[in-house]
Amino acid sequence: MRGCHHMANKSVQVKKWRWIFFVVLIAVGLVGAVCSVVLMPMMTEFIFDTVVTNMMVLNPSSAIYPDWKDPPLPLYSSFYFFHVENPDAIVMNQRPVVAEKGPYVYRIEVPRANVTFHGNGTLSSVQMYKYIFERSLSVGPETDTFTLINPVAVSTTILAKDFPKVVKRQLSLQMVELNETVFMNRSVAEILWGYEDGFISLANKYFNIPGWDTDLFGLLWGRNNSDLGVYTVYDGTEDQSMLNTFDRFNGRTELDWWFSPEANMLNGTDGTMYHPYISRDEKLELFHPDVCRSLPYLYEKDMNFKGVPLFKFVLANYTYANGTVHPPNEGFYREDMWAPSGLLRQDPCRFGQPMALSNPHFLDGDPILYEAIDGLSPNKDDHESYLAMEERMGMPYVFKLRLQINSLLEPVEDIRQVENVSRVYFPLVWFEQSVEVDDTIVSLYKKGFVTSEKVMDALQWFFFACGLILAAVSTYWFIRWYRRRQLAKNEKELKGTEETDVEVFKKADVSEVEKQEDNLGFEEERMETGSS
């Protein structure tokens, strides 16, 4: 009896552990499947975050620092000149006609020098600009010559418009003597790098023009093999969201050219890099000394470049709007500056010259600007500035900065050369500074992020499938075991029922026999009594 009871207990324990075993297997499978969906992406992001955090800081030990200090990608500047086809007719108040000529392309080397770490989360440097003409990418040599608006001559006439009549007449005679005309014939090299100008030579004899110690004038005069100033930026070690953001320019925390605190704010980066994890709803800003202000960029759409997903940020269409169209821009204008919407006057930061920057072909500007001149046709594809950002690292994979330089031409009484002209902003040249990542960087990106993500995704779904398979197989065997157990139990119950019935029948038979025996004994006794 004791042995039977022990065997029965052991059987119960085995069944209990089998039950627990199957439940555990099913739970492990389901939990593994869920965890693969939830935890694997989190693990992937954690790994990428760690890599990006260590990489995207500006210190000599970081992976990005050598490329920041000596950019490996070529920066190109492509120039398009507005050749004037009817200069004699324009001075007689006829409609200007221009033809765009270009591109004339320069490769720019921009290594950083004098890098100084300040120990407070910032560092300073100067970025040297060296221009190398790329004849193979250009439509012609630097000696190609065009007829262009003469910015020095027309600016001089405008600056003299309030002078006494006798002075203006003398200026008109001086222009003839110096051979200064409203339009000039100059080569690509001259208009960019400088030519001797009669007015500047004359002015330098009598005046000291701040920052201008030469008789030459050129749009890029003094820019080759030189820097644009001292940049002080945040290194991202204390706050990675401030990576490469300007702290100071030439030692100042704000600009001093404009007419409101907002306009003089020094915002953004130099465009070479931004903080990691760019979002679509933020505003990116870029400060460039040649523009004299920070430029806002807004998200437009997702795009793809060489298989890399990017966020496209375009120059905000209100950037060059005047204060009437966009009130926050009031600080960039004075009441005496005539500037239809679409222009940024440069007088405050360009020696008082009434010149203006705009988008090429006056894109996003007041129609009065481009409708006044034949030969202009603004379109977004060719003339819009934009940054195509890789979201995770905050790096521009495509950079296009497009600017147009314009000179104000307006009639001035008593100066014969400009008495009869119409008032118009005359385009001189537009240029595009551009950078695109090469196949090497794209390959590194794909190996580092795309391939890794695919591997992690494959592992995620592998573990998910393994978990489901384990849960499914365990469920199958559990159901099968449970059914066999129930079947065995039912058979045992049935067998027990049959045995009970046999015993009942046996007992009934015994009782009947005993009853018959009793009756037989009673009859025998009665017979004996009768005999007596």
Side-chain angles (χ1 to χ4, degrees):
M1 290 294 293
R2 232 185 226 181
C4 291
H5 182 71
H6 177 73
M7 290 296 292
N9 287 340
K10 186 174 182 181
S11 176
V12 170
Q13 290 179 356
V14 169
K15 292 174 182 178
K16 179 181 178 181
W17 282 111
R18 281 184 180 177
W19 178 281
I20 295 173
F21 175 72
F22 282 121
V23 170
V24 169
L25 283 181
I26 294 170
V28 168
L30 292 176
V31 170
V34 172
C35 288
S36 68
V37 174
V38 176
L39 296 181
M40 286 295 289
M42 294 174 62
M43 184 184 301
T44 302
E45 285 304 313
F46 174 77
I47 294 171
F48 287 164
D49 287 351
T50 302
V51 172
V52 170
T53 299
N54 292 331
M55 178 185 296
M56 300 305 293
V57 291
L58 293 177
N59 63 55
S61 62
S62 70
I64 201 66
Y65 179 78
D67 290 343
W68 174 84
K69 187 174 183 299
D70 295 298
L73 295 175
L75 171 65
Y76 290 101
S77 196
S78 304
F79 294 88
Y80 301 81
F81 297 89
F82 291 99
H83 173 68
V84 182
E85 298 194 332
N86 61 337
D88 295 334
I90 294 171
V91 297
M92 299 304 295
N93 199 28
Q94 294 189 26
R95 185 180 179 84
V97 179
V98 299
E100 183 180 287
K101 304 291 184 179
Y104 293 85
V105 182
Y106 292 81
R107 177 170 50 86
I108 311 175
E109 296 177 356
V110 285
R112 300 180 192 269
N114 302 332
V115 178
T116 304
F117 290 86
H118 300 297
N120 62 350
T122 67
L123 69 159
S124 298
S125 66
V126 294
Q127 197 163 18
M128 307 299 294
Y129 279 68
K130 181 180 180 181
Y131 289 79
I132 301 99
F133 183 64
E134 294 285 352
R135 178 64 182 86
S136 61
L137 302 177
S138 305
V139 297
E142 287 183 292
T143 54
D144 281 356
T145 301
F146 310 116
T147 300
L148 306 164
I149 187 75
N150 185 340
V152 176
V154 298
S155 295
T156 303
T157 63
I158 293 171
L159 293 173
K161 67 181 179 180
D162 294 326
F163 287 4
K165 181 184 295 187
V166 64
V167 175
K168 290 189 285 186
R169 288 181 175 176
Q170 182 59 40
L171 177 60
S172 181
L173 294 174
Q174 193 70 56
M175 287 180 68
V176 174
E177 183 178 334
L178 295 173
N179 197 29
E180 290 283 350
T181 56
V182 176
F183 297 96
M184 60 182 183
N185 294 316
R186 296 292 178 187
S187 69
V188 172
E190 286 177 319
I191 192 62
L192 292 179
W193 307 115
Y195 59 89
E196 187 169 338
D197 182 86
F199 268 135
I200 294 178
S201 298
L202 182 64
N204 280 334
K205 290 181 180 180
Y206 302 102
F207 306 102
N208 179 26
I209 304 176
W212 206 277
D213 56 357
T214 178
D215 294 341
L216 301 178
F217 174 83
L219 297 177
L220 295 178
W221 174 82
R223 290 290 196 234
N224 206 359
N225 294 310
S226 63
D227 63 83
L228 300 182
V230 180
Y231 294 8
T232 303
V233 301
Y234 291 96
D235 59 21
T237 55
E238 297 180 2
D239 182 358
Q240 204 159 36
S241 68
M242 297 295 289
L243 175 66
N244 201 40
T245 299
F246 272 97
D247 174 46
R248 298 170 185 271
F249 173 65
N250 283 337
R252 298 178 60 92
T253 58
E254 59 184 17
L255 309 176
D256 59 358
W257 296 308
W258 306 110
F259 315 113
S260 74
E262 293 78 10
N264 277 316
M265 291 179 68
L266 180 62
N267 297 325
T269 78
D270 61 358
T272 56
M273 70 173 66
Y274 289 81
H275 63 83
Y277 298 103
I278 299 293
S279 67
R280 294 179 179 88
D281 59 356
E282 67 180 296
K283 177 173 69 174
L284 302 181
E285 296 197 82
L286 182 156
F287 173 74
H288 196 292
D290 282 342
V291 187
C292 303
R293 61 160 292 186
S294 293
L295 302 174
Y297 287 76
L298 302 176
Y299 170 81
E300 182 187 61
K301 63 180 181 180
D302 285 16
M303 62 175 287
N304 191 284
F305 181 75
K306 295 184 177 181
V308 179
L310 304 173
F311 294 168
K312 184 178 182 181
F313 284 77
V314 301
L315 185 69
N317 59 9
Y318 58 75
T319 301
Y320 303 122
N322 59 23
T324 302
V325 174
H326 188 63
N329 281 354
E330 288 182 350
F332 294 109
Y333 300 91
R334 289 194 314 254
E335 290 185 2
D336 61 334
M337 291 180 177
W338 177 69
S341 193
L343 296 166
L344 177 66
R345 286 282 290 260
Q346 295 284 283
D347 315 35
C349 61
R350 290 288 180 267
F351 312 107
Q353 285 185 291
M355 301 181 72
L357 295 179
S358 70
N359 286 320
H361 290 241
F362 300 113
L363 176 71
D364 294 329
D366 191 318
I368 194 176
L369 293 170
Y370 54 81
E371 290 176 354
I373 300 173
D374 287 343
L376 300 181
S377 55
N379 69 85
K380 288 172 63 72
D381 290 341
D382 296 329
H383 303 141
E384 184 179 59
S385 296
Y386 69 91
L387 303 167
M389 304 296 299
E390 195 284 309
E391 167 267 337
R392 183 176 278 115
M393 297 181 66
M395 300 290 289
Y397 272 42
V398 182
F399 172 88
K400 304 283 185 182
L401 176 62
R402 293 158 171 166
L403 289 169
Q404 181 171 296
I405 301 173
N406 311 281
S407 187
L408 176 60
L409 175 64
E410 65 179 10
V412 179
E413 292 183 356
D414 302 310
I415 300 180
R416 180 173 55 83
Q417 290 85 347
V418 293
E419 275 186 320
N420 298 315
V421 302
S422 298
R423 185 163 71 161
V424 63
Y425 275 94
F426 215 100
L428 176 62
V429 61
W430 77 268
F431 64 92
E432 172 192 272
Q433 284 191 356
S434 64
V435 179
E436 294 181 355
V437 295
D438 57 18
D439 293 338
T440 301
I441 291 179
V442 170
S443 177
L444 290 173
Y445 170 85
K446 290 182 177 179
K447 289 179 181 177
F449 290 111
V450 178
T451 303
S452 297
E453 283 184 333
K454 289 181 178 179
V455 170
M456 296 300 282
D457 284 345
L459 289 174
Q460 172 187 337
W461 294 113
F462 172 76
F463 289 126
F464 178 75
C466 288
L468 287 184
I469 291 172
L470 178 61
V473 170
S474 300
T475 302
Y476 168 77
W477 284 107
F478 171 75
I479 293 172
R480 185 172 178 180
W481 169 78
Y482 183 78
R483 286 179 175 175
R484 291 176 62 184
R485 181 171 176 270
Q486 288 297 109
L487 183 61
K489 182 178 178 182
N490 293 339
E491 290 176 351
K492 182 178 180 181
E493 290 178 351
L494 181 61
K495 184 177 180 181
T497 302
E498 291 175 351
E499 290 176 350
T500 302
D501 291 343
V502 170
E503 290 177 356
V504 169
F505 287 131
K506 286 181 178 181
K507 288 181 180 180
D509 291 343
V510 169
S511 298
E512 187 64 28
V513 169
E514 290 178 346
K515 185 177 180 181
Q516 290 178 2
E517 288 178 349
D518 290 340
N519 289 336
L520 182 59
F522 177 74
E523 288 294 330
E524 288 177 350
E525 287 179 359
R526 192 174 64 174
M527 289 178 65
E528 289 177 359
T529 302
S531 302
S532 309

